Amino acid sequence: LLLPRSWQPMTSVCPIGRYIQRREPEAGFSLFESESLKFPGFVEFDDVNGKVLTYSAADKVYKVWDLKNYTHLYSIQDINIHEIKISPGIMLLIYHKSCNGGHVPLKILSIENGDVLQSFKHQVHRSKKIDFIEQFNEKLLVKQEHENLQIVDVRTGCRTEVSSSQFLTPSAFIFLYENQLFLTFRSRAVSVWNFRGEKVSNFEDHTLWHPDCNTNSIYITSQQDIIISYCKQNESEFGSINVSSILNGKSIARITAKESNGREKAALEDVTALFYNEERNEIYTGNSHGYIQIWSN
């Protein structure tokens, strides 16, 4: 990441932006027209595995597609599936609790062909709500209401627990596969953890704007060492774009609107999407008013 002393709005646009400006939707093409993707249906693009996961709510069918050419690879149809989590090379199928509530059935599938690699049951407290079940490679993270976080190695069965007073249930996760770490988001705070259950760092200047953690306005660099987010500024009605080190929590840079620049203020009002182009060293933002801005040094 190249860090300029100051970032400025950029008026030129990339080729994709030109199609948008020209209002030429025919330059693109439609995807997944056969699927009913309205909520609770969804589409999830997985660039790590080069796959796309869709869920058609009308048919209750999960489908996996090739991200390169959008070819349909295979389908999964099971009404007992509660959720699917994707990790490098594998998918975790989380089923509804057993009839007596004492365990959750789980399956690990190959992301390439859908073959079942492992089936097992995770014991849970019958009367307590499951806050989340997440997977990171061979590690399974399980948290129930008012209970400790459990980090389980599904290969060996070894288990690490983190006190519920130390690990509060987050609203979202981002797994950092390169660094064997994970980020948690709770309210407006971001924390970094390792899989021994230890908090690695806190951020000195990275208070998120959205209290419900809108991860669309958060970007992690490809080296997974820097986080760029839309953040709150103290005593300001306008947000800022903050750049921080993930490994030590230090602030690296911050983009703010000049007091006299109405265009910059408009661009940094209620940002809902953020992307960093690492090749061009440009940050793209879009907000709830439909305003798209490119920031460049």
Side-chain angles (χ1 to χ4, degrees), residues 81-118:
I81 295 175
H82 173 64
E83 196 174 4
I84 293 181
K85 303 288 185 179
I86 299 177
S87 292
I90 56 176
M91 289 191 300
L92 174 69
L93 272 56
I94 304 170
Y95 287 81
H96 293 287
K97 266 188 182 183
S98 59
C99 293
N100 65 8
H103 69 267
V104 176
L106 303 166
K107 283 184 181 179
I108 297 177
L109 273 59
S110 165
I111 192 75
E112 295 300 327
N113 52 28
D115 288 350
V116 177
L117 304 177
Q118 187 176 356

Side-chain angles (χ1 to χ4, degrees), residues 114-295:
D115 288 350
V116 177
L117 304 177
Q118 187 176 356
S119 297
F120 57 102
K121 299 174 182 178
H122 184 80
Q123 301 299 315
V124 294
H125 293 280
R126 296 179 181 178
S127 59
K128 296 197 174 182
K129 179 175 75 76
I130 295 175
D131 286 341
F132 63 80
I133 298 178
E134 298 283 345
Q135 184 179 18
F136 177 96
N137 293 339
E138 73 280 2
K139 303 294 186 183
L140 193 69
L141 279 64
V142 182
K143 177 81 169 60
Q144 287 188 263
E145 191 175 25
H146 307 307
E147 293 294 321
N148 294 342
L149 168 68
Q150 297 181 0
I151 304 175
V152 183
D153 190 312
V154 297
R155 297 177 304 176
T156 66
C158 292
R159 181 173 307 198
T160 300
E161 292 204 7
V162 185
S163 169
S164 59
S165 61
Q166 291 180 296
F167 189 94
L168 302 177
T169 300
S171 57
F173 290 84
I174 293 181
F175 292 105
L176 307 176
Y177 296 100
E178 296 294 328
N179 297 318
Q180 296 293 301
L181 301 170
F182 63 96
L183 302 177
T184 59
F185 302 85
R186 180 180 171 88
S187 298
R188 291 186 165 95
V190 187
S191 299
V192 187
W193 300 79
N194 61 30
F195 287 91
R196 296 186 296 276
E198 303 164 337
K199 185 181 285 190
V200 175
S201 60
N202 288 310
F203 293 93
E204 63 181 17
D205 183 22
H206 216 95
T207 302
L208 301 178
W209 178 272
H210 298 284
D212 59 349
C213 181
N214 178 3
T215 53
N216 289 334
S217 57
I218 296 169
Y219 182 89
I220 308 295
T221 57
S222 58
Q223 303 252 328
Q224 298 185 346
D225 57 347
I226 290 173
I227 180 172
I228 305 171
S229 309
Y230 179 54
C231 293
K232 283 188 70 68
Q233 295 188 76
N234 292 334
E235 302 177 358
S236 174
E237 61 180 310
F238 299 100
S240 61
I241 300 171
N242 292 24
V243 183
S244 298
S245 166
I246 289 174
L247 301 180
N248 59 29
K250 298 294 185 182
S251 175
I252 298 173
R254 185 201 291 170
I255 303 172
T256 58
K258 297 183 182 69
E259 188 62 35
S260 60
N261 193 318
R263 186 162 64 100
E264 290 183 14
K265 287 182 177 180
L268 289 176
E269 183 179 358
D270 196 18
V271 170
T272 55
L274 182 151
F275 177 78
Y276 174 56
N277 186 321
E278 299 187 40
E279 292 183 0
R280 297 174 63 91
N281 195 31
E282 296 171 352
I283 294 176
Y284 309 150
T285 58
N287 65 16
S288 60
H289 306 295
Y291 194 101
I292 297 175
Q293 183 72 56
I294 301 177
W295 306 83

